[in-house]
Amino acid sequence: MSKMTNDVRPGRLYGVGLGPGDPELITIKAARLIAAADVIAYHAARHGRSNARAIAAGHLRADHVEEALIYPVTTETTDHPGGYQGAIDDFYEQAAARLAAHLDAGRDVVVLAEGDPFFYGSYMHMHKRLAHRYETAVVPGVTSVSAASAVLGRPLMERDEVLTVLPGTLPPDELAQRLAGTDSAAVMKLGRTFDGVRSALEQAGRLDDAFYVERATMAEQRVGRLAEVDPATVPYFSLALLPSPAATAFVDGPPAESAEQQPGGVTVVGLGPGAREWLTPEARAALAGADDVVGYTTYVDRVPVRPRQRRHASDNRVEAERAAFALDLAKQGRRVVVVSSGDPGVFAMAAAVLEVAEDPQWKDVPVRIVPGLTAAQAVASRAGAPLGHDFCVMSLSDRLKPWSVIEKRLAGAAAADLVIALYNPASQTRKEQLVRARELLLEHRAASTPVVVGRDVGGPEESVRVTTLGELDPATVDMRCLLIVGSSQTRAVTRGDGDTVVYTPRHYPQPA
């Protein structure tokens, strides 16, 4: 008998996805493997009922060996010395041992999994413990997220939109941040987490766009707007869905523009210096929810195209006209985003919009400012910490203020020994301002003063170099550059890897 046992070929282990609940969504391959298996295993709560078994019931044979893997706990407390996690880990080990006994005896084992086995599925715990010992195959299934999208009749994502899948067990603040930073989202595992998920959606400004789907494709299916759901009625087998923003217009139709419509609003958004990862979650949410995007052509081109949105690009020298146009759209009930590079409140569109909005015709139009990472911060981070002590920010452009004012302020900042971040240092029509500014600064600063020159930081042509005030060549600087001129305390240090970092100490020497 021992020799025969040793000669038995081990059975195969299959993790078989059954889809979200409708038995007709079981794949042909899944149905074939279930019918051919020797052992059918499935997870179940302590009451013994298994949704997975119920879905597959039509494919089970009378002579199937069934292994019901009963969880010792679900959400209740336990006296296990390792607590809840200890009890669950022991259960998985014991369940894997039961399946291994069948596999060692040469029996093929199918573990049934709702949805997809590797998508928040219990099967994966068996896979981790057994796949290295036995021949194993996983059969994918239709996920609950795909089913929810289908029953709602709303696409998940389009073109370059991003879909994020999140567990509702995350802390609400973290969940809100992630929801604000994505286009589409599915939040799983509701039940007791529903209140926190609802709070996170509200905090992220996405509650009105969220749908609730319970037991998608099953007979007990329930769908609706998440904001209208009674938390006391929410089971574990439900999810929250934020469908594709781009597809909304095709499902709901374009926004109404009737005279009775409530006023829209203008949100002035900072896109940051250029890198996608520097766009804040709040800015992403504002862009995703806009009906219209207004801005300088270069900045509008940085915003992903969404078919339902209107885009209004214009020249860089028409700030007041652009602001008036955006406010007019908002007055008609449109949700308008005005985009700026960097931070909208730093030499950008926030001041222009607020200035124009003083006109009585727009006094009732809401205006909101969403901050962004500034170019000065971005360049400073690439160089080290040159803004580590007191500093000022100035623009060398004399298009909106006289050059005499710029000279006076520059001399004052230099005399005060402030680190100076210089925006708009040069352009095609302004070549001499930086030459004069350098001469003025040298009247107050040593020629050895470190200067950081950042160009297109965060963009595809990024470059950062460290020079000195004496060696700075104005001819190498253009409109896409930002300069940081150090104080008397700013240091340029070459580190062990050969890189030079620039920083300004936080402490300033006491006067003699």
Side-chain angles (χ1 to χ4, degrees):
M1 178 66 70
S2 176
K3 184 176 186 301
M4 290 180 61
T5 302
N6 290 339
D7 290 340
V8 171
R9 179 190 65 81
R12 299 181 189 87
L13 174 67
Y14 298 96
V16 174
L18 302 175
D22 182 349
E24 292 186 346
L25 292 176
I26 296 177
T27 65
I28 294 172
K29 184 172 185 177
R32 175 175 59 80
L33 291 173
I34 292 169
D38 301 305
V39 179
I40 301 296
Y42 45 83
H43 291 82
R46 293 173 69 178
H47 50 57
R49 296 186 297 275
S50 167
N51 287 327
R53 189 193 185 286
I55 297 169
H59 301 279
L60 300 183
R61 305 191 318 267
D63 61 340
H64 267 137
V65 175
E66 296 190 24
E67 285 284 0
L69 309 176
I70 308 297
Y71 285 105
V73 290
T74 48
T75 58
E76 63 270 20
T77 58
T78 175
D79 58 2
H80 190 282
Y84 175 86
Q85 193 58 53
I88 290 295
D89 288 342
D90 281 356
F91 161 68
Y92 286 139
E93 292 294 337
Q94 294 162 10
R98 288 168 60 186
L99 300 187
H102 289 295
L103 293 166
D104 287 339
R107 304 184 190 102
D108 289 345
V109 176
V110 163
V111 180
L112 303 177
E114 293 175 80
D116 183 274
F118 281 167
F119 189 79
Y120 292 114
S122 295
Y123 164 74
M124 68 182 69
H125 300 288
M126 300 297 96
H127 190 87
K128 288 187 290 186
R129 289 165 170 81
L130 298 172
H132 63 289
R133 296 165 52 189
Y134 303 98
E135 184 179 346
T136 307
V138 176
V139 179
V142 178
T143 69
S144 56
V145 174
S146 296
S149 171
V151 300
L152 288 171
R154 294 173 181 272
L156 287 173
M157 60 275 190
E158 180 178 315
R159 297 181 64 172
D160 60 350
E161 289 181 334
V162 175
L163 169 68
T164 303
V165 179
L166 300 161
T169 50
L170 288 176
D173 287 346
E174 181 180 349
L175 195 56
Q177 184 177 6
R178 291 175 181 267
L179 288 168
T182 189
D183 298 305
S184 307
V187 185
M188 315 292 292
K189 305 180 181 180
L190 295 189
R192 297 187 178 189
T193 71
F194 183 82
D195 284 332
V197 172
R198 190 187 190 285
S199 174
L201 284 161
E202 191 167 23
Q203 184 180 334
R206 311 291 300 272
L207 181 59
D208 290 342
D209 301 324
F211 289 86
Y212 171 84
V213 182
E214 176 184 319
R215 296 187 172 92
T217 77
M218 298 183 188
E220 307 88 351
Q221 172 183 295
R222 182 166 63 124
V223 301
R225 292 281 181 176
L226 188 135
E228 300 170 359
V229 173
D230 179 0
T233 66
V234 176
Y236 180 83
F237 290 104
S238 57
L239 60 82
L241 194 70
L242 290 172
S244 161
T248 299
F250 297 100
V251 178
D252 294 335
E257 297 186 20
S258 65
E260 293 79 19
Q261 184 179 13
Q262 291 297 314
V266 173
T267 303
V268 191
V269 170
L271 299 177
R276 181 178 174 85
E277 61 268 23
W278 284 344
L279 184 65
T280 69
E282 185 181 12
R284 290 183 194 276
L287 291 169
D291 300 317
D292 297 82
V293 177
V294 176
Y296 171 42
T297 300
T298 300
Y299 304 148
V300 171
D301 288 346
R302 285 171 50 187
V303 178
V305 175
R306 294 180 170 89
R308 71 177 181 83
Q309 290 180 336
R310 301 176 184 175
R311 297 162 73 88
H312 312 274
S314 53
D315 185 81
N316 197 31
R317 293 166 292 183
V318 292
E319 290 95 339
E321 294 88 342
R322 185 183 301 134
F325 177 74
L327 289 162
D328 264 339
L329 286 174
K331 192 174 180 180
Q332 298 168 28
R334 309 286 292 179
R335 294 173 297 177
V336 185
V337 160
V338 177
V339 292
S340 283
S341 180
D343 183 279
V346 179
F347 302 124
M349 281 301 299
V353 171
L354 292 172
E355 183 178 0
V356 174
E358 286 193 43
D359 191 303
Q361 65 179 307
W362 295 303
K363 65 181 178 64
D364 294 325
V365 175
V367 177
R368 182 168 68 102
I369 314 299
V370 175
L373 183 69
T374 69
Q377 291 170 307
V379 172
S381 71
R382 294 295 200 238
L387 306 181
H389 197 67
D390 296 343
F391 67 94
C392 73
V393 176
M394 290 186 58
S395 170
L396 291 189
S397 173
D398 59 355
R399 189 169 69 84
L400 299 176
K401 62 180 181 290
W403 177 252
S404 59
V405 172
I406 296 174
E407 283 191 318
K408 182 177 180 180
R409 291 176 176 175
L410 194 58
D417 201 23
L418 295 170
V419 175
I420 306 171
L422 295 176
Y423 281 68
N424 308 316
S427 71
Q428 291 183 347
T429 60
R430 292 187 299 104
K431 302 293 185 182
E432 294 302 315
Q433 281 88 337
L434 183 57
V435 174
R436 174 60 187 139
R438 174 178 172 274
E439 292 171 350
L440 191 154
L441 288 167
L442 282 169
E443 295 175 9
H444 298 272
R445 303 277 166 92
S448 60
T449 300
V451 176
V452 179
V453 181
R455 186 178 188 278
D456 193 33
V457 171
E461 300 178 12
E462 175 179 316
S463 67
V464 178
R465 58 189 175 90
V466 178
T467 184
T468 64
L469 192 56
E471 295 177 352
L472 174 65
D473 182 1
T476 64
V477 176
D478 61 24
M479 190 66 175
R480 298 175 70 184
C481 293
L482 181 136
L483 275 59
I484 299 178
V485 180
S487 71
S488 64
Q489 303 302 306
T490 303
R491 304 173 189 174
V493 179
T494 300
R495 297 182 56 79
D497 58 6
D499 287 342
T500 298
V501 296
V502 179
Y503 75 98
T504 304
R506 294 178 299 156
H507 301 286
Y508 201 83
Q510 293 291 331

